[in-house]
Amino acid sequence: MSATEMDQEAVIVGGGFYGAAIAIYLARQRGFKRVVLVEREPALLMRASYSNQARVHNGYHYPRSFTTAYRSRVNLPRFVRDWPNAVKQDFTKLYAIARRNSKVTAKQFERFCREIGAKIQPAEPALRALFEPRLIEDVFLVEEYSFDTTRLASWAEHELKETGVRVRFDTRVIGISKRANGTLAVAMQHGEGGKELISCRYVFNCTYSGLNQFEGDFPGTHTALKHEITEMALMQMPTELQGLGITVMDGPFFSIMPFPARGLHTLSHVRYTPHLHWSDRQGIDPYLKLKQYECLTRVDRMLRDTGRYIPSVLGARHIDSLFEVKTVLMKNEADDGRPILFEKHPELPGCYSVLGGKIDNIYDVLEKLDAEPFQAIANQGQEVSGATHV
């Protein structure tokens, strides 16, 4: 390994939305002067930050987890305020409750929305007419948005440059270890080239599905993780559905959401979106598993089932499918909870692992970071005061 060592205050591993936001936070709010962000792809926000429903949640999705729902309800207006150019609001959002096999009734859903303070009202007849009444109990007009990942990536690129964060693209972190002087050593590999070592005080592991794929002294996360290879179908919707976002719940669960980055809609289905799943463990690289997987679309099955509830969706045209690894906390498999993972590793002081299940979780992460007494190398142990917002 070529020993190109340099002292950094922090290394952020992963250039998705979370990694970029944490790097910007450290530089702008905590006064870090030497921050490096390492991303294995050639650009920012190319993996899980892009290949998802692009939904800014407002709590409706989580009727069986009040905490997750309420946090989304609180975070949505903050997200709209902080990233207004990336948020798409000019569409009508509907939630419909299935008559059979739903885990929540229409009355329960309406009561739940009022408990978390989320706007809800009966849909007008013209919108209700889109649904098959024998299968749908009720339809509600709600307030929920989507986001444009390409605009978030432009924001991140600008802010990283403005705050002086160095970004290393096409570079993979392969190991994290302790050094004798109490700092951390981060081993990196650029493309197929040689290996490089960076010394730093803090490491933020924001690699999402790759959280546990490091050599050296990295102990792995205490929280058990589950991976899924998922398919997000990108559809050209028929005219009557183009200005809509629709979610049918809560058993026969599927969603049609605007996907601003491509000017299309995503179609996802609780049964057909997950293709393959496995428990996380070191040595099984999720990204290699995805690369080796034969990504055959299940959009025909998605459409066939969705069309029973919304007949006009059968006129949609499949344009593309986004296949990606989705990672969730195993402890929340049985409920709607989507808490963040925020782990400090006592065996590796200064190393943090961070994972969020949805984009608005970023505020939960920033609150955790606000509580950390970071000590910058340049300040010789003096604490740098925190702040709340990116």
Side-chain angles (χ1 to χ4, degrees), residues 166-353:
R166 293 177 54 229
V167 182
R168 302 284 300 272
F169 290 119
D170 296 309
T171 302
R172 187 166 63 94
V173 169
I174 56 178
I176 307 170
S177 302
K178 289 183 289 190
R179 302 181 75 224
N181 64 358
T183 60
L184 299 171
V186 178
M188 309 186 306
Q189 184 170 17
H190 181 75
E192 300 299 322
K195 298 175 182 178
E196 180 183 344
L197 206 62
I198 288 184
S199 173
C200 61
R201 178 67 184 88
Y202 298 102
V203 172
F204 294 87
N205 173 19
C206 306
T207 52
Y208 192 63
S209 297
L211 284 176
N212 289 320
Q213 302 303 311
F214 300 110
E215 299 174 354
D217 298 322
F218 183 75
T221 60
H222 175 73
T223 303
L225 305 174
K226 173 188 171 183
H227 301 302
E228 296 177 343
I229 292 178
T230 61
E231 176 188 5
M232 200 62 58
L234 295 181
M235 314 294 295
Q236 181 72 54
M237 286 293 156
T239 303
E240 56 267 48
L241 298 179
Q242 282 186 6
L244 300 177
I246 299 172
T247 297
V248 172
M249 55 192 305
D250 175 23
F253 211 145
F254 62 83
S255 285
I256 300 166
M257 284 291 293
F259 191 75
R262 295 276 297 271
L264 299 167
H265 279 68
T266 56
L267 173 62
S268 59
H269 192 291
V270 68
R271 189 179 304 125
Y272 302 119
T273 287
H275 279 233
L276 178 71
H277 65 85
W278 68 97
S279 298
D280 178 70
R281 60 182 182 271
Q282 198 166 22
I284 300 181
D285 184 344
Y287 299 114
L288 180 59
K289 203 170 180 75
L290 174 62
K291 186 176 181 180
Q292 295 173 341
Y293 181 71
E294 188 176 10
C295 296
L296 300 177
T297 183
R298 295 176 177 175
V299 72
D300 56 338
R301 281 170 277 184
M302 293 187 201
L303 279 173
R304 190 159 54 242
D305 192 55
T306 304
R308 295 193 300 124
Y309 297 86
I310 310 170
S312 58
V313 81
L314 295 174
R317 187 162 63 95
H318 180 223
I319 304 299
D320 195 6
S321 282
L322 305 175
F323 286 87
E324 189 53 272
V325 182
K326 176 183 177 181
T327 299
V328 297
L329 312 187
M330 289 191 73
K331 64 182 181 181
N332 294 113
E333 272 196 290
D335 61 27
D336 286 330
R338 288 295 179 268
I340 62 168
L341 180 147
F342 187 91
E343 285 193 13
K344 295 184 282 187
H345 300 289
E347 314 92 325
L348 206 55
C351 184
Y352 298 76
S353 290

Side-chain angles (χ1 to χ4, degrees), residues 30-287:
R30 302 304 292 266
F32 281 39
K33 303 299 182 187
R34 300 191 300 283
V35 179
V36 175
L37 185 150
V38 182
E39 168 55 43
R40 65 192 293 167
E41 301 295 333
L44 300 169
L45 278 66
M46 285 189 66
R47 298 298 305 251
S49 295
Y50 181 85
S51 301
N52 59 69
Q53 282 186 331
R55 185 196 304 258
V56 186
H57 283 277
N58 200 13
Y60 304 104
H61 226 57
Y62 306 105
R64 290 178 290 128
S65 177
F66 181 87
T67 301
T68 297
Y70 184 73
R71 288 298 299 178
S72 291
R73 175 71 196 95
V74 170
N75 288 337
L76 177 134
R78 300 172 69 183
F79 192 90
V80 173
R81 178 200 65 204
D82 290 340
W83 288 281
N85 295 331
V87 177
K88 179 179 176 63
Q89 303 182 47
D90 60 343
F91 65 97
T92 300
K93 185 60 205 287
L94 303 173
Y95 269 72
I97 309 300
R99 286 191 183 278
R100 294 189 287 274
N101 301 319
S102 179
K103 297 172 184 175
V104 60
T105 66
K107 286 189 179 297
Q108 289 171 337
F109 181 70
E110 198 169 7
R111 183 170 62 248
F112 154 76
C113 291
R114 301 201 190 286
E115 287 174 352
I116 65 170
K119 291 183 180 180
I120 182 170
Q121 64 185 75
E124 61 187 58
L127 294 173
R128 299 172 69 89
L130 293 169
F131 298 86
E132 170 51 64
R134 291 173 299 177
L135 298 180
I136 295 295
E137 180 187 1
D138 213 340
V139 183
F140 299 100
L141 181 66
V142 302
E143 189 176 78
E144 195 174 66
Y145 308 134
S146 59
F147 62 88
D148 187 332
T149 310
T150 60
R151 294 192 176 188
L152 288 177
S154 296
W155 164 83
E157 184 179 355
H158 176 268
E159 289 295 305
L160 290 168
K161 185 176 181 179
E162 284 286 306
T163 54
V165 174
R166 293 177 54 229
V167 182
R168 302 284 300 272
F169 290 119
D170 296 309
T171 302
R172 187 166 63 94
V173 169
I174 56 178
I176 307 170
S177 302
K178 289 183 289 190
R179 302 181 75 224
N181 64 358
T183 60
L184 299 171
V186 178
M188 309 186 306
Q189 184 170 17
H190 181 75
E192 300 299 322
K195 298 175 182 178
E196 180 183 344
L197 206 62
I198 288 184
S199 173
C200 61
R201 178 67 184 88
Y202 298 102
V203 172
F204 294 87
N205 173 19
C206 306
T207 52
Y208 192 63
S209 297
L211 284 176
N212 289 320
Q213 302 303 311
F214 300 110
E215 299 174 354
D217 298 322
F218 183 75
T221 60
H222 175 73
T223 303
L225 305 174
K226 173 188 171 183
H227 301 302
E228 296 177 343
I229 292 178
T230 61
E231 176 188 5
M232 200 62 58
L234 295 181
M235 314 294 295
Q236 181 72 54
M237 286 293 156
T239 303
E240 56 267 48
L241 298 179
Q242 282 186 6
L244 300 177
I246 299 172
T247 297
V248 172
M249 55 192 305
D250 175 23
F253 211 145
F254 62 83
S255 285
I256 300 166
M257 284 291 293
F259 191 75
R262 295 276 297 271
L264 299 167
H265 279 68
T266 56
L267 173 62
S268 59
H269 192 291
V270 68
R271 189 179 304 125
Y272 302 119
T273 287
H275 279 233
L276 178 71
H277 65 85
W278 68 97
S279 298
D280 178 70
R281 60 182 182 271
Q282 198 166 22
I284 300 181
D285 184 344
Y287 299 114

